[in-house]
Structure formats: structure tokens, C-alpha cells
């Protein structure tokens, strides 16, 4: 089951995982690159949102969390 998610994100050196759909939507609206999603195996029925880890993403997460 983990092989599939590894293949989807092949070629991306640094990824950042977001577990909240609300936060993921805000980050996309702020212009961050959503690479894809994968199932959350610990909580069935939920998704993990995978973003390319950039300085902008980290900065935007800091702004959102304040």
C-alpha cells in the first residue's frame, strides 16, 4: 500500500504532509503546490495532502497558525 504513494510522488525531493483539508485548501489558495493526496492508513476515510516543501509553504503555515 505504501508503494503506490511512493510512485505517485517520485521525483519530489522534499514533501510536506498536511492532515487537515481546511489547512490544505487555504495553502492551495495562497498559491502553494499540492502534489497530490494519499489515504491516511491510521484514520480510514481520511486523506493526507502532500505539498512540495518550499520556503513559501513554511512561511504560509506560520501565517495560518497565528
Amino acid at each position: 500500500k505504501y508503494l503506490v504513494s511512493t510512485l505517485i510522488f517520485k521525483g519530489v525531493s522534499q514533501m510536506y504532509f498536511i492532515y487537515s483539508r481546511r489547512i490544505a485548501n487555504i495553502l492551495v489558495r495562497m498559491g502553494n503546490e499540492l502534489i497530490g493526496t494519499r489515504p491516511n492508513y491510521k484514520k480510514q476515510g481520511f486523506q493526507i495532502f502532500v505539498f512540495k516543501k518550499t520556503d513559501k509553504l513554511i512561511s504560509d503555515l506560520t501565517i495560518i497558525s497565528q
Side-chain angles (χ1 to χ4, degrees):
K1 56 186 167 184
Y2 292 105
L3 178 62
V4 173
S5 62
T6 303
L7 292 175
I8 292 172
F9 309 120
K10 186 176 180 181
V12 178
S13 59
Q14 290 192 329
M15 297 178 284
Y16 202 92
F17 301 102
I18 301 293
Y19 293 83
S20 165
R21 180 182 300 251
R22 183 181 66 83
I23 298 296
N25 285 333
I26 293 169
L27 290 170
V28 168
R29 279 187 257 132
M30 293 175 90
N32 293 284
E33 182 181 351
L34 176 67
I35 298 169
T37 63
R38 65 177 223 186
N40 186 338
Y41 297 112
K42 292 183 180 179
K43 287 188 173 183
Q44 289 191 355
F46 289 87
Q47 292 288 314
I48 298 172
F49 301 90
V50 184
F51 284 85
K52 183 174 182 181
K53 187 174 183 181
T54 62
D55 292 336
K56 178 179 175 16
L57 178 73
I58 302 304
S59 174
D60 290 346
L61 281 169
T62 303
I63 292 168
I64 291 169
S65 66
Q66 292 179 354

